[in-house]
Amino acid sequence: MSTRPRQQKAPQQESAKPRTSRARPVKTRSRARPPRGEELRIAILSRKRSLYTTRRLVEAIKAFGHVPVVLDTLRCDLMLEKGRPRIFFGRERVEGIGVVIPRIGASITSYGLAVVNQFDMMGVPVLNNSVPIARSRDKLRCLQLLARFGCDIPRTVMMRDRNDLDQAVEQIGGLPVIVKLLQGTQGVGVMLAHSLKELQSILDTMWNLDQEILLQEFIAESRGRDVRALVVGDRVVGAMRRVARVQGEFRSNIHRGGEGEAVELPRAYAEEAIRAARVIGLEVAGVDMLESSSGPKITEINSSPGIEGLERATGIDVAGAMVAHAVEFARARASGWTRQRQI
C-alpha cells in the first residue's frame, strides 16, 4: 500500500487569523428587565448545575431578567396520557416553561431525546429539538447530510468488508488515515493509522467489538489543530483555533490537552459553519472545521457545545448570546413562526 500520493497544490485559501481576546473571566452584564408579566421561565436540561456552561447560562438568564430552571435530565419523569403529555421533576409537575435549552450529554442521548420530545409534545419551544440532536450524534448521518447539501468535508468511507480495504484507503487519498468510531466525543475513539497493517489491526479490534467505524482523509496541513465556530441562530458569535500541545498528538480537542486561541474567521469559514448548522437543523451548534489548502472542511457538529474554552479564549459573552437567542426564539414561536428546514 502506498502512502498518500502527491497532488498538485490548490490555491492557498485564506485561513483564520489569531486575534487579541478581551478580559477574562466573562460575565453577562445586567440588561433592562422585561415588562411585568413577560418574564420567561427558561429551563436548562443539564445533569449538574455546577458545570461551567450551566452556571453561565443561569447567570445570563438572571442578567436578562428571566427565571432559570435547571432540570437534571435523568430526574425528569415522562407521563403519557391521551391529550395530556406531562413532565414531573421529582414529585412536582413541570409547568410554565417558556423555552428549553437542552444540554444533552452523549452518555444520556437516548433518555435526553425522550425528554426533549416530551417538551416538544407539550408545545414548549426547544432551542435544539430531538431530530437535529440525533443527527449530530451519528457521525455518518451528519456527514451524509452535509455532503448532500454541498458542505465540504474530508473524504470519508464506511465499510465492513476487509477485502475492500486497499480500495477504501486509495479512495480517501492514501495513508495515513483517520479512524473514527461512529459515536465518540471529545476526541475519544479517534485514531491515526500510518500503515495498512496498523489499520487492519484497529479495524479487527473494533469490528470484533461490534463497533462501526469511519475511515477519513487525513488533512496534513491541519495536523494537530482545528477551528471551533459557535453558531447561534444565523451568526457565528465566536471562534477559536484549538491546538494540540502534546508532541505527536493529532487531535486538538480541549479535553485531550489542546489549547484554544481566539481567531477572526474569514467569511468563507463563517458562512460554511452557519450553513452546516442549518443543514443539520440546529439553533445552537459548535461546528468543527479543518483548515485545508482548499478551504474549510467540516469534521463534526456538536449540538451541546461547551462554552468554557471559547469564552476564556475570546472573552466573548457566549452564554448571553445563547440566552438572547432563546428568548427571541420563544417569542417568535409564540407568534407562529417556525424555521424552514432543508430536510
Side-chain angles (χ1 to χ4, degrees):
M1 172 63 61
S2 62
T3 56
R4 184 176 303 278
R6 291 186 178 181
Q7 299 176 351
Q8 290 186 339
K9 288 187 177 180
Q12 190 68 35
Q13 298 293 312
E14 185 181 9
S15 60
K17 295 180 174 60
R19 79 188 226 343
T20 303
S21 61
R22 289 180 262 178
R24 311 170 185 80
V26 178
K27 290 194 174 293
T28 303
R29 61 182 179 83
S30 296
R31 314 293 174 93
R33 296 188 65 84
R36 184 179 295 276
E38 294 187 15
E39 303 94 341
L40 293 177
R41 296 181 75 229
I42 302 178
I44 306 167
L45 292 178
S46 173
R47 290 303 321 280
K48 294 182 181 178
R49 180 183 285 267
S50 61
L51 294 172
Y52 179 91
T53 301
T54 303
R55 287 190 286 109
R56 285 285 296 119
L57 288 172
V58 167
E59 175 189 313
I61 291 168
K62 291 179 178 178
F64 276 78
H66 300 288
V67 181
V69 180
V70 180
L71 300 174
D72 181 340
T73 312
L74 295 186
R75 291 188 60 201
C76 292
D77 301 331
L78 313 182
M79 175 66 186
L80 294 171
E81 184 181 356
K82 182 180 178 180
R84 297 182 64 202
R86 286 165 287 166
I87 294 177
F88 288 86
F89 188 71
R91 295 182 179 274
E92 294 186 14
R93 182 175 174 179
V94 179
E95 298 180 283
I97 301 298
V99 64
V100 176
I101 302 176
R103 303 286 308 162
I104 307 299
S107 63
I108 63 164
T109 295
S110 180
Y111 198 85
L113 294 182
V115 175
V116 168
N117 272 329
Q118 190 82 346
F119 273 112
D120 199 31
M121 289 174 62
M122 291 163 57
V124 179
V126 183
L127 209 52
N128 285 338
N129 72 30
S130 63
V131 173
I133 293 175
R135 289 172 178 168
S136 71
R137 292 288 159 85
D138 184 331
K139 285 186 172 64
L140 179 64
R141 183 58 177 156
C142 186
L143 291 172
Q144 285 174 329
L145 291 171
L146 293 174
R148 166 66 178 81
F149 287 95
C151 295
D152 202 359
I153 62 172
R155 287 175 289 180
T156 303
V157 168
M158 181 179 180
M159 56 169 293
R160 213 47 203 282
D161 189 339
R162 290 170 175 79
N163 295 323
D164 296 337
L165 187 56
D166 285 12
Q167 175 180 294
V169 171
E170 292 296 341
Q171 286 175 333
I172 58 176
L175 295 165
V177 300
I178 301 292
V179 184
K180 289 184 177 181
L181 293 178
L182 272 189
Q183 295 180 334
T185 60
Q186 300 173 351
V188 176
V190 180
M191 294 149 280
L192 181 64
H194 293 87
S195 68
L196 188 59
K197 183 177 180 180
E198 181 183 8
L199 177 58
Q200 288 172 326
S201 177
I202 293 172
L203 295 182
D204 285 342
T205 300
M206 293 298 103
W207 285 337
N208 286 337
L209 294 172
D210 203 28
Q211 295 288 329
E212 302 296 348
I213 57 87
L214 299 177
L215 303 182
Q216 200 164 68
E217 173 186 12
F218 178 62
I219 307 298
E221 60 268 33
S222 191
R223 182 186 183 117
R225 70 178 193 176
D226 70 357
V227 170
R228 160 64 64 90
L230 202 291
V231 177
V232 178
D234 291 318
R235 67 189 183 99
V236 173
V237 300
M240 65 177 174
R241 178 181 289 117
R242 302 182 298 187
V243 182
R245 294 305 182 195
V246 179
Q247 187 173 7
E249 177 60 77
F250 69 96
R251 295 166 295 185
S252 56
N253 306 71
I254 300 295
H255 288 84
R256 310 301 299 181
E259 295 183 2
E261 60 180 20
V263 293
E264 293 284 357
L265 280 188
R267 182 173 179 177
Y269 280 71
E271 290 179 346
E272 192 76 347
I274 294 167
R275 179 160 59 141
R278 290 282 71 79
V279 167
I280 303 304
L282 294 166
E283 291 292 326
V284 174
V287 181
D288 297 339
M289 297 175 282
L290 299 179
E291 299 173 275
S292 79
S293 58
S294 60
K297 291 185 181 290
I298 297 173
T299 58
E300 193 169 334
I301 298 183
N302 192 320
S303 55
S304 295
I307 64 173
E308 182 175 9
L310 185 59
E311 286 200 334
R312 293 191 187 283
T314 65
I316 293 172
D317 179 11
V318 177
M322 291 171 63
V323 171
H325 183 66
V327 172
E328 180 184 352
F329 180 79
R331 289 175 175 162
R333 283 287 302 274
S335 69
W337 172 87
T338 57
R339 186 183 291 279
Q340 185 69 34
R341 288 187 181 171
Q342 289 187 276
I343 186 171

